[in-house]
Each structure stands twice: as C-alpha cells, then as structure tokens.
C-alpha cells in the first residue's frame, strides 16, 4: 500500500440544487455542503473540518441539524437512499446511525427534520412514491409512513409537539398527526391550488408558508388566518441601478417573486422575495399581524462585466444563528452571504445589503487550473466567464474578474505576475496587478482548450484544435507549431528541463515532442481510447495517461508498460508528485485515488471522497505539500499531502515565496495622491473632533452641575417625605395593634362558642353511629342466609348441565367418525381423476408438437423469401436515408421558423391574457351596472309607493302654512320697532362721538403746552450749565481781586437783563394761577364724562342683551321656516313631475266659485303658493341684510366704548 495519504484541507465552493445546504452550528461555525463533503467552517478563525460522503454514495442531497445542535443528519444518494446521523459533540465527529427506507425502495431522501427533543427524525423520499418516513432514529426503527401525494420540498416538526408534522410542495400542503402508530392528516383547509416552496413555524399553532407566486400564507391550527403578497420595490438609494433593473424587467417576461426560503425568529421572520432580495417582516403591537419593515438585497458585483447579474441570484436557503445575531443565506449560483441582524433591524425602512460569508465562489463548471512556483497562488477559470486567483497558504480569494466570453483554459507564469487565459475567440496574456487583471497582449488562437507555461517561464504552449503553438514570453513570437494529432488535443505537459512536451488527444495518441527541434521523440497510439489527461515523471522517462477506456496507462519507450483498471469508473485526470512518490488520479465519480509510485504489481490504491461530479483538472504544488482538484460541481478542493505518520511531504530545498506585486505607474500616482488627500482629511477630522470634544465636555460639565443641583433638591425633598412617611407609619402601627387586640378577643370568644356547639353535635352524631352499627349487623346476618341458599341452588344446576353436555359430546364423536369415512372415499375418487387427466394431457401435447413442427417448416421457407426482400429493402433504405437527411435539413429550417412562430405565439398569448383581463374587468363593470339598474328599479317601486303618502302630506302642510304667515307679520312689526330703537342708539352714539372729539382737541392743546414747557426747561438747564462753567473760571481768579471783579461783571452783563429782573416775579405768579385754573376745569370735565360713560354703558348693556335675545329667537324661527320651505319645495318638485297629469285633471274638474275661494286662500292654489315662496325668500334675504347691518353697528358701537361688555349669548348660525 501507499505510504502517503491525502487529507481534505480547504474547499472553495457550494453545492446547489439541494435542500437546506447551510445551517448554523454555533455563533462562529457554519455547516454547508460542498462537493461530496459536509464542511464545518469557522467564520472568525477561517478553518474547515470535513465530513466526507460514504463509499458508495453518489452525492449528498440534504442537511438537518437537531434543535439541541448535537446531531447532524446527512441524506445521500446511491443504489439506495440513506440518511446518516453524526454526533458533533466532540472534535472527532462520530457516525451514530444509518437510516434507510427498509422494505420500501427509496433512491433518495429530498428533505429531513429532527423533532424538538431530537429523538425522532422525519425524511421525505423522492418520486414516484413520495413517502414520508417517521423514525425513532436511535433504534433505527420506522414508526410510521405516509404518502404525501406529490413532489414535496420541505418537511418540519411542530417546535413543541413531536406528533405534529407539516409537509409542503407543488400542490401539496398537509398537516399530519402521529397517533396509534399511524400518521393521519388533520388540516381542514384545502390549499392544494398553491405551489408551496417553503414554510417555517412561528409558534406552536402558527406557521408561515411561501408560494411560487409571491404569496405568504399564515396558517393557524390548520386554517388560513392571514395572507399577503411579497412585492419587489426598486432601490431609492441607487437610481441608476433601479433604471437598469427596470430595463431588464421590461425586456424579460414578467415573473412573480418566488418565496423560496423562510426563517422565523423571536421578532418576526425573514423571507426571500424574488431575485436578489429578502424581506424582514416584524410583529405588530397587537401581535396578530405582520408588517414589512426592511428589504435586504444582494449587492452588485463590481468585478463583474455585468454588475446587475449578482442581483439576479435567487436565495434558496437561509438560517439564523442560535443567539439571533447573524443571518446566513445561500443562492442558486453557489454563493454564501451573511448579514448581522442588528444592522438589519436598525434603520428600518431603508435598504440593507448582504456581505460574502467567506469568499466569492465559481458558479459554473471549472475548466482550467494552474499554479506557479514563486507565489502560493492558484488560478482557475470557469464557464461563468470568470478568472479567479486563490491563495492556498492563507486559504482566501486574492483576485477575480469576469469577462464577456467563457474562459476555457488558464496558465500562471512561474513568477506569479502574469496569467495566460484561453477564450473562445482569442488567447490573452494578462498582468496580475494588485487589484485587477489587465490584458496587455492578445494572440489569434481560437477556442484554446489547453495552455501552459514552461518551468522557466520563457515559453508557453497553446492548443488550437489539433495543433500546438509554442510562443516566446519575451518577444511574443510563434517559435514552433507542433502538428501530428488527428483529433483535438486534450492535455499538454512540460518536462522540468523544458526540453520536452507531452501531449494527448481524442485520436488516442500520446506524443512526446522535442521543443528545440519540433520533432516527435516518442509516440503511443491506441485508437480505441480517447485520452483526456497526461502527466510525466520528474526524470521525463515515464508518461502516465488516462482516457475513456477506464484504465491508467504507464507508457515508456513508446510502449504501454502497464495498465491499471479502474473497476467501472472512468479516469478523468492524473497528477504526479514532484518527488515522484505518489500518483493521484481523479475519477468521473468525483473521487481521488492515491497510488504508490512506482506502480506496484497488484492493483492497490486508497480512494478518497471529494467531489460530487467528474474531476476536470488536478495539480500538485511545487513543494509537494498540497494536491489541488477542480470539478464540474464548481468546487476547488485543496488536499494536504501527508505520510502515515501525519507529517507533511518535505523537499530538499524549501521554496520561499516572494511578496512582490505588479502596480502600474498611474495607479501608484493615484493611490499616493489619495493617501495625501486622506492624510490631510484625517488631520482636519482630528482637529474638528478635538474641538467638538471640548465643546461636548463643556456642555456635559454644565449639564452635570444642573443635574447635581436638581438631585440634591430632590434628595432633600425625599428626606422630608421619608420623615413624614415614618411618622405616618408609626401611627398606623399603633392603630393596627389596637385593631389586632380587638380582633383577637373576638376570635377567642367565637372559638369558645364554636367548641361548645361542636361538642353537642359530636354527641348527637355518635349516637346515630351506634344505631347504624346495629342495623349493619342485622343486614349482614340476612345476606349470609341468602348466600347459603343461592350456593345450594347453583350446585344443583351445575350437576344438571354436566349431564346434558356429556350426552351431546357422545353424539358429536359419532358424527366425526362418519365424516372421516366419507373423506377417505373422496380421496380415492380424486386419485383416479388425476390419472385420467394425465393421460388426456399427454395426448394433447403430442398433437400440439405435430402442429408446431409443420409451422416451423413453413416459417423457414418464408425466412428465405424475406432475406431476398431485405436485400432489396436495404437498397431502398440507403436511398430513403438520403431523403431523410434532406428532410432533416428541411425540418431544422422549419424548427427555426417554429421558434420564431413560438415567439410570435408567446407575444400573442400575452396580448390574449391582457384582453382576457380587460374582458373580465368589463364583465365586472357590466355586473355592477346591472346591480345598480336593479337597485334603481327597486327604488322606483318604493318611490311610487311613497307618491300617495306624499300627496296627502302636501295637503296637510298647505293647511299649516296659514298660521306661519301670521307669525311672520308679527315678526315684521317687531323688527320695525327694533329699527326705531336702533336709530335712537345711533343718535346717542353721534353725540358721544362729538364729545369725544372735543376732549381730544383739548388733550392736543395741553400736549402742545407741555412740550413748550419741556423745551423751556431744556433751555434753562443749558443756561445753568453754561453759567456753572463761567463760575468755575471766575473761581480760578479768587486770589486776584481785580480779575475776579471783571469776570463777575462780564457774568452779570451776559446772563442778566433789566427787563428780566423786573418781569420775573409778575410773570411767574400769573402763569401759576392760569395753570391751576385750567387743571381744575379739566379734572371736573373728566369726572363728569366718566359718570356719563358709566350710565351710557349700563343703558347700552341692557339694550344689547334685550336685542340679542330677540335676535336669537328670530333667527331660530327663521331657520325652522327655511327648513320647512326646503322640505316643501323638494316634495312639491317631485310631486309636480310625477303628478302633472293629475293636476291638469283637477284644474279642469274644479268649479269657478271654488277657484275664487282658492285665490283668497293663498296656500291652497299653486300660483299663490309660488308667490308666497318668492315673498318668503325676499323677506328672509332682507332679514339677513338687516341682521348683518345690526351686527356691524354693534361691533362699531363696542369699539367706541372704553370698556368692552362681555356677551353671554351666542347667536345661532343662519341657515342658507
């Protein structure tokens, strides 16, 4: 056996097309399906642990994690569908049990679920049976089975009930209950019209289900309780993206969002809402309904050629971490996304975006794989138009870019700075920059399926069909063209010295080329095999090739030395370690086989489960530490190569990886400029932050002071309250003690009374007990006597019965002997009949033989004739085949036309659907109109019934109008009186206004005098100031008498005149007298005016109140009259239209004297009624005008008064 083994180390990729492919083990660990492995991935520490598939399993189909997060169930497809339960409690994952369908043949289990206590497991099988199994999994016992009746997508247990199960699928929604060993359906609601894709339990009685038409159904206790629709909204944050989305929606056919996944949590639930979107629904305050609070979208891919393609992914699975902190989702394109729930719940109403859980994976078949020497890089290309660069040392995605064309092959330069990619139209040589992959040279090599750099990196080979082109990496010249293959070349491999190149192709040829002379040095051709991959030993002497004949071939010196069969599995890829110790082979089943090198005599290998689809490429790193495999399941798997002692493979010279990267000058300059800008920005922000922090400190210190003062005051107040409460408490305690003493005394008295009464009752009861005891003794004696008598009677009856049955037994024995004799006679007769039948069958067989021998001779003769005819028919067949080929060409043309016609038909079908919708809408409008017509007809019949009643009422109302007219006349007289009173008020008001004007004039004159006096005072003050300054000057000459004398004379001559000296005394006295007289006069006039004002205000107040009361009364009566008039008019208008013909007859039949009397009584005739209507309207309008005028005058009058009188009466509004 081989001493070197491979161990799964890290995987990039996700299995799609399976149910529940992602689950949370704990807050940091996620379990997902990748390849044919179940992977435990730690999000923080970036490590992976693998649970490989079983030996004969083809692929894993579903996952289920128990509620206690200890057990993991994995569904696998094989010859028989199985479910394997693993124990995750320890680091070494243990296989606990393997479950199957038992006697029922099951190919696969589509979905599974654990019970709430983790003791039971349910599994749903696929078609055609669609059976639901219910296991007690620890005992591997199937408790119950039931047919769900159709394709089922999801099954689940009630979160608090082991016996209640829900299953949903296309046209299937069923609730089962386990009872008495059987699963019985108990849901009464029929929901088979919907195609359910997902569901989840929100509570013990309520679950939410999603359909393929975007409907969310809330089902409670088996009945539909609430229903809503999930509608996609364009994002408001990115208008350009929303416009692109609108264009895509217009170009593509309208599709409703599919609710493919639902995940419930404590505050509500998440659900997918079509391509690239998920909605968060939260419980409302009443906890009966849910409202959509947030939309979460998959972000656009900036590295993609079409960034909006990432937004078109559909979420197929979602799971929430145990502490409800993180949500993880998987998409139909094999991507894993996550979002923290705190960020999803914050900023409700705004859009949130997912982030990658680990890295961006391939979403198509991986067609190319390459490694380099100087860096720990892996390059892969895929049919998803992307080229990705991975780091196998850090286990992460370094770089990726998507192109417009599909990438068929890829090759990394040994330095790890350049990459060669083969597209359908060209071969491109690109630079691996720090953040981009840029093309700098294109070669006209179409559909390059294989390309490879030499070990030195100075040459590279590219395959174009059956020709191999060799180019120089420095000059980009085509140095050599290697021609010789008759079929497409499928694989090429350089030797370590770059002198030889090995190739294999579909023509069954393996060639060894000399790259210096372009000659074939060796060849091996086997036309029965189409080779798919080839490798060469380190010494370039032995070639290993694999192909479609399910064998590994060892070729040496142009001869196949050894063949290793694969046991019914096709080998697809082969790789040899650089030390030449281990040979690795990839199979079509996705497994990897490790063989010792050189190959042993016996066919021995170790097989490892890795991928779920055929392996396309394999490579071993240059330090022999890792094996790399890619597959059609979109996964890249890194294997750790170790020996049996668990040590890694070691080379003599260890490889040191370089850290250099390529950067363009423009990018460097841009980044340096950005760095400078960001540094300046950082400095500015630091300054701003420091300033804001200081301001905040100031504010917080002030607030702290205020709060401390407040709290000190509150503490003082609470202390006082506490003292008050303590005093109250002491008082209450004293009261309570007094009450307790009273209650205890009462209780003791009542207890004594009760003891005395109870003792008496006990004595009475004891006496009754003694009497009953005596009675029971008498009864026992009676029953014993009856028992003795009954036993004697039973013994007698038993003896009689035994005698009867013994006689019957004797008769039955006699009859049995007679039946045995008869059966022996019948056996003899049956044996004779069998002998006769055998003789008859022998005769018939002989007759049939003779007949068939004749038939055979006839058939032989007909066969000879038919052989001649077949020769003729073959010629006809060849001619007909040519015609068929021609017809096929015509059919292809017709198919193209059919496709075009289908497109036209689809557009027409859309038009038909729109027209049908219009027809339905019109039918609905017609039905509504018919209903209206029916309702109107009913109303007409009712109106006809009311005709007669209304006529009678009209007559009565006409009689009631006469007293109303008299009231109106009286009201007119009252209004005239009120007008006279108003005129008197106006006169008084005019007189008051004149008095006020005179007083205003007097006030103006006094203001003028006051201003003059003020001016005079100002002048005198100025004189005094001047005089003070002059005096100050004089004082300075106090020691010089002459100068002092002259200065005092100048003062006297300047400030004192002769006229002033004489007139000062007389003028001052006259002014004082006049001032006093005018002041007394003004005070008297003011006092008299105040008295008049008080009297007038009292008079006006009383008049106002009286007028207001009368107005309110009048307005009320006017409103009543207007209402009655409106009613009469409406009734008269209807009766005039409907009873016009009756009126004409009435007018003809009425006599002349009656007509004369009717003209006198105004209400009776229609003409007088019309006149009355006109007059009443005119009167009402006049009254309105008068009321408005009165209101204005009252307001004016109120403005003239200094004191405003408050009105207590509110006038009612006049009805128009």
């Amino acid at each position: 056996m081989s001493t070197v083994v491979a161990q799964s180390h890290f995987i990039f990729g996700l299995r799609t097309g399976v149910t529940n492919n992602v689950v949370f083990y704990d807050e940091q660990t996620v379990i997902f399906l990748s390849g044919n492995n179940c992977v435990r991935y730690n999000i923080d520490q970036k490590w992976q642990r693998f649970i490989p598939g079983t030996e004969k399993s083809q692929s894993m189909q579903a996952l289920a994690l128990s509620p206690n997060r200890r057990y993991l169930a994995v569904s696998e497809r094989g010859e028989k569908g199985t479910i394997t339960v693993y124990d995750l409690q320890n680091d070494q994952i243990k296989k606990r049990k393997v479950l199957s369908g038992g006697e029922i043949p099951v190919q696969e289990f589509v979905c599974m679920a654990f019970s709430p206590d983790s003791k039971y497991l349910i599994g749903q099988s696929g078609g055609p049976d669609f059976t639901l199994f219910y296991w007690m999994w620890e005992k591997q016992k199937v408790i119950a089975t039931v047919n769900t009746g159709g394709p089922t997508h999801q099954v689940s247990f009630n979160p608090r009930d082991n016996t209640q199960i829900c299953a949903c699928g296309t046209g299937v929604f069923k609730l089962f209950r386990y009872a008495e060993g059987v699963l019985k359906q108990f849901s009464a609601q029929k929901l088979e019209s919907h195609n359910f894709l997902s569901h989840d339990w929100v509570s013990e009685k309520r679950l939410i289900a999603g359909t393929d038409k975007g409907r969310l159904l809330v089902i409670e206790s088996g009945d539909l309780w609430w229903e809503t629709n999930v509608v996609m909204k364009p994002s408001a944050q990115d208008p350009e993206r929303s416009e692109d989305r609108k264009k895509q929606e217009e170009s593509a056919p309208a599709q409703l969002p599919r609710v493919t996944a639902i995940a419930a949590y404590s505050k509500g639930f998440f659900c997918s809402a079509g391509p690239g979107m998920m909605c968060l629904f939260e419980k409302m305050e009443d906890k009966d309904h849910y409202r959509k609070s947030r939309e979460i979208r998959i972000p656009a891919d900036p590295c993609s050629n079409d960034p909006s393609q990432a937004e078109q992914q559909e979420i197929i699975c979602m799971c929430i971490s145990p502490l409800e902190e993180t949500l993880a989702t998987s998409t139909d394109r094999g991507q894993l996304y996550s979002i923290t729930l705190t960020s999803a719940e914050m900023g409700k109403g705004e859009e949130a975006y997912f982030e990658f859980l680990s890295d961006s994976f391939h979403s198509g078949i991986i067609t190319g794989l390459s490694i380099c020497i100087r860096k720990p890089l892996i390059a892969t290309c895929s049919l998803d138009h992307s080229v990705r660069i991975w780091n196998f040392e850090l286990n992460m995605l370094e770089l990726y870019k998507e192109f417009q064309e599909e990438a068929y092959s890829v090759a990394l330069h040994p330095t790890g700075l350049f990459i060669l990619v083969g597209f359908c139209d060209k071969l491109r040589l690109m630079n691996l920059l720090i953040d981009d992959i840029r093309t700098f040279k294109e070669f006209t090599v179409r559909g390059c399926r294989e390309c490879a750099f030499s070990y030195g990196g100075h040459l590279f080979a590219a395959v174009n069909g059956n020709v191999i082109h060799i180019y120089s990496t420095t000059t980009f010249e085509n140095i050599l063209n290697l021609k010789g293959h008759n079929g497409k070349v499928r694989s090429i491999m350089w030797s370590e010295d770059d002198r030889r190149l090995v190739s294999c192709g579909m023509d069954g040829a393996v060639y060894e080329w000399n790259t210096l002379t372009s000659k074939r040095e060796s060849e091996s051709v086997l036309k029965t095999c189409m080779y798919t991959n080839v490798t060469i030993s380190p010494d370039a002497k032995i070639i290993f090739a694999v192909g479609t004949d399910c064998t590994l071939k060892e070729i040496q010196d142009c001869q196949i030395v050894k063949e290793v069969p694969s046991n019914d599995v096709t080998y697809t890829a082969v790789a040899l370690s650089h030390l030449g110790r281990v040979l690795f082979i990839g199979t079509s089943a996705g497994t990897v086989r490790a063989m010792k090198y050189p190959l042993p005599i016996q066919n021995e290998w170790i097989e490892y489960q890795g991928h779920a689809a055929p392996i396309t490429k394999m490579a071993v790193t240059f330090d022999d530490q890792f094996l790399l495999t890619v597959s059609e399941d979109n996964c890249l798997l890194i294997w750790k190569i170790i020996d049996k002692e668990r040590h890694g493979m070691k080379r003599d010279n260890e490889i040191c990886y370089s850290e250099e990267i390529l950067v363009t000058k423009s990018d460097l300059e841009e980044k340096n400029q950005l760095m400078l800008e960001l540094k300046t920005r950082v400095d500015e922000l630091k300054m701003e932050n420091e300033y804001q922090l200081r301001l905040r400190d100031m504010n917080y210190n002030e607030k702290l002071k205020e709060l401390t003062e407040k709290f000190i005051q509150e503490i003082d107040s609470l202390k006082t309250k506490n003292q008050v409460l303590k005093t109250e408490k002491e008082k209450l305690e004293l009261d309570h003690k007094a009450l307790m003493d009273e209650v205890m005394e009462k209780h003791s008295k009542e207890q004594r009374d009760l003891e005395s009464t109870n003792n008496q009752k006990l004595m009475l009861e004891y006496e009754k007990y003694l009497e009953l005891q005596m009675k029971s003794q008498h009864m026992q004696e009676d029953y014993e006597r009856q028992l003795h008598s009954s036993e004697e009677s039973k013994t007698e009856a038993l003896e009689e019965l035994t005698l009867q049955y013994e006689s019957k037994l004797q008769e039955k024995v006699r009859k049995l002997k007679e039946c045995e004799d008869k059966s022996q006679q019948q056996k003899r007769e049956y044996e004779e009949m069998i002998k006769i039948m055998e003789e008859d069958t022998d005769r018939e067989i002989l007759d049939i033989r003779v007949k068939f021998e004749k038939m055979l001779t006839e058939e032989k003769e007909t066969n000879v004739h038919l052989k001649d005819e077949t020769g003729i028919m073959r010629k006809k067949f060849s001619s007909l085949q040519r015609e068929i080929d021609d017809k096929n060409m015509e059919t292809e043309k017709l198919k193209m036309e059919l496709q075009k016609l289908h497109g036209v038909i689809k557009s027409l079908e859309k038009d038909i659907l729109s027209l049908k919708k219009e027809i339905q809408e019109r039918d609905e409008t017609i039905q509504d109109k018919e209903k209206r017509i029916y309702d109107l007809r009913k109303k007409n019949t009712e109106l006809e019934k009311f005709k007669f009643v209304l006529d009678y009422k009209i007559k009565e109302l006409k009689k009631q109008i006469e007293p109303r007219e008299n009231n109106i006349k009286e009201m007119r007289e009252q209004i005239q009186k009120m007008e006279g009173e108003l005129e008197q008020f106006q006169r008084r008001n005019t007189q008051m206004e004149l008095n006020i004007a005179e007083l205003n004039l007097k006030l103006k004159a006094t203001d003028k005098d006051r201003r003059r006096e003020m001016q005079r005072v100002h002048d005198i003050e100025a004189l005094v100031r001047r005089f003070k300054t002059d005096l100050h000057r004089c004082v300075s000459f106090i020691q010089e008498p002459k100068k002092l004398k002259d200065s005092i004379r100048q003062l006297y001559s300047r400030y004192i005149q002769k006229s002033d000296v004489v007139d000062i005394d007389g003028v001052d006295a006259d002014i004082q007298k006049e001032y006093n007289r005018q002041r007394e006069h003004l005070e008297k006039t003011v006092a008299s005016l105040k008295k008049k004002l008080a009297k007038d205000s009292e008079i006006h107040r009383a008049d106002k109140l009286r007028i207001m009361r009368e107005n309110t009364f009048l307005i009320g009566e006017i409103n009543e009259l207007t209402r009655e008039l409106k009613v009469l008019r409406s009734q008269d208008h209807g009766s005039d239209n409907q009873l016009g013909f009756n009126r004409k007859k009435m007018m003809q039949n009425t006599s002349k004297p009656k007509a004369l009397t009717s003209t006198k009584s105004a209400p009776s005739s229609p003409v007088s009624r019309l006149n009355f209507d006109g007059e009443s309207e005119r009167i009402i309008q006049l009254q309105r005008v008068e009321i408005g005028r009165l209101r204005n005058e009252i307001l004016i009058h109120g403005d003239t008064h200094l004191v405003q009188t408050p009105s207590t009466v509110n006038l009612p509004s006049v009805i128009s």
Side-chain angles (χ1 to χ4, degrees), residues 846-1082:
L846 289 167
D847 295 334
I848 289 160
R849 264 187 193 171
V850 172
K851 281 181 185 178
F852 278 109
E853 281 173 359
K854 288 177 183 177
M855 290 284 285
L856 269 168
T857 52
E858 288 173 0
E859 287 292 329
K860 282 176 183 176
E861 289 172 0
T862 52
N863 275 327
V864 172
H865 290 296
L866 286 166
K867 278 177 184 177
D868 298 332
E869 287 175 1
T870 48
I872 298 156
M873 290 300 286
R874 275 175 189 168
K875 291 175 183 177
K876 286 181 181 178
F877 177 73
S878 60
S879 61
L880 284 166
Q881 202 163 11
R882 288 169 194 163
E883 289 176 4
I884 285 158
D885 292 332
D886 297 332
K887 292 287 181 184
N888 284 332
M889 293 293 285
E890 289 176 4
T891 49
E892 282 177 1
K893 290 176 183 177
L894 288 167
K895 280 177 183 176
M896 293 294 285
E897 289 176 1
L898 262 172
Q899 286 176 357
K900 290 176 183 176
L901 288 166
H902 279 305
V904 174
I905 287 157
K906 284 177 182 176
S907 61
L908 289 167
E909 282 175 353
K910 287 176 186 175
D911 295 335
I912 287 158
L913 286 167
S914 61
L915 289 165
K916 280 180 179 177
K917 285 178 183 176
E918 285 179 6
I919 288 158
Q920 285 178 357
E921 288 171 0
R922 286 180 182 177
D923 288 335
E924 287 171 0
T925 51
I926 288 158
Q927 287 175 1
D928 294 333
K929 284 178 180 178
E930 284 177 352
K931 284 178 184 176
R932 281 186 183 176
I933 290 158
Y934 181 69
D935 294 334
L936 288 165
R937 282 177 182 168
K938 277 187 176 179
K939 283 180 183 177
N940 282 327
T941 52
E942 287 172 1
L943 287 166
E944 284 173 1
K945 289 176 185 176
F946 285 124
K947 270 182 191 178
F948 182 73
V949 178
L950 287 167
D951 289 334
Y952 181 72
K953 282 184 179 179
I954 286 158
K955 287 174 184 177
E956 287 183 350
L957 288 165
K958 282 175 183 176
K959 290 174 185 177
Q960 290 176 4
I961 285 164
E962 288 180 1
R964 297 284 182 186
E965 282 182 349
N966 295 326
N967 289 329
I968 287 160
K969 284 176 185 178
E970 288 175 1
M971 298 297 280
R972 279 178 188 170
E973 288 172 0
Q974 285 180 359
I975 287 159
Q976 285 173 1
K977 288 177 184 178
M978 287 170 75
E979 281 175 356
E981 289 175 357
L982 272 168
E983 284 174 1
Q984 288 175 3
F985 282 123
Q986 282 175 356
R987 286 168 193 166
R988 287 178 188 173
N989 283 330
T990 50
Q991 285 176 1
M992 295 292 286
E993 282 171 1
L994 288 166
N995 292 329
I996 288 157
E998 286 174 2
L999 288 166
N1000 284 329
L1001 287 167
K1002 285 177 183 179
L1003 278 166
K1004 284 175 183 176
T1006 52
D1007 282 333
K1008 283 178 183 178
D1009 293 336
R1010 188 177 58 76
R1011 283 171 188 165
R1012 281 174 194 163
E1013 288 296 325
M1014 288 290 286
Q1015 188 65 39
R1016 192 178 169 190
V1017 168
H1018 283 301
D1019 295 338
I1020 289 160
E1021 283 176 354
L1023 255 173
V1024 168
R1025 283 174 199 149
R1026 274 186 255 144
F1027 184 70
K1028 280 179 180 178
T1029 53
D1030 291 335
L1031 260 175
H1032 189 67
R1033 284 175 192 168
C1034 289
V1035 170
S1036 63
F1037 301 118
I1038 199 157
Q1039 291 179 359
E1040 296 174 0
K1042 283 182 181 181
K1043 287 182 181 179
L1044 203 149
K1045 189 178 180 182
D1046 292 334
S1047 63
I1048 287 164
R1049 278 177 184 173
Q1050 283 174 3
L1051 274 171
Y1052 185 79
S1053 61
R1054 191 180 293 168
Y1055 291 106
I1056 295 167
Q1057 295 175 4
K1058 290 177 182 180
S1059 59
D1060 291 338
V1061 174
V1062 176
D1063 295 332
I1064 281 165
D1065 296 327
V1067 170
D1068 289 338
D1070 293 335
I1071 286 162
Q1072 191 67 33
K1073 284 177 185 176
E1074 184 65 27
Y1075 176 75
N1076 290 329
R1077 188 177 62 76
Q1078 284 183 2
R1079 187 175 178 180
E1080 285 173 1
H1081 180 262
L1082 285 167

Side-chain angles (χ1 to χ4, degrees), residues 41 62 70 76 157 168 188 192 201 221 256 259 341 364 427 470 493 527 583 752 764 828 902 952 1044 1072 1094:
Y41 174 63
R70 181 177 175 179
E76 292 179 281
F157 274 99
C168 72
E192 281 77 12
W201 293 85
S221 301
L256 290 167
V259 184
L341 293 186
L427 178 72
I470 296 176
M493 185 78 182
K527 290 185 178 179
L583 184 71
R752 287 167 195 160
L764 291 167
R828 289 168 197 158
H902 279 305
Y952 181 72
L1044 203 149
Q1072 191 67 33

Side-chain angles (χ1 to χ4, degrees), residues 55-91:
E55 286 182 9
K56 294 181 181 180
S57 77
Q58 294 172 6
S59 62
M60 293 183 177
Q61 294 295 311
L63 286 180
L65 189 68
S66 63
N68 61 5
R69 303 190 182 274
R70 181 177 175 179
Y71 304 110
L72 178 73
V74 182
S75 166
E76 292 179 281
R77 185 176 183 176
E79 293 176 0
K80 262 190 172 184
T82 58
I83 295 171
T84 311
V85 181
Y86 295 93
D87 191 348
L88 305 174
Q89 196 169 17
N90 302 317
D91 291 333

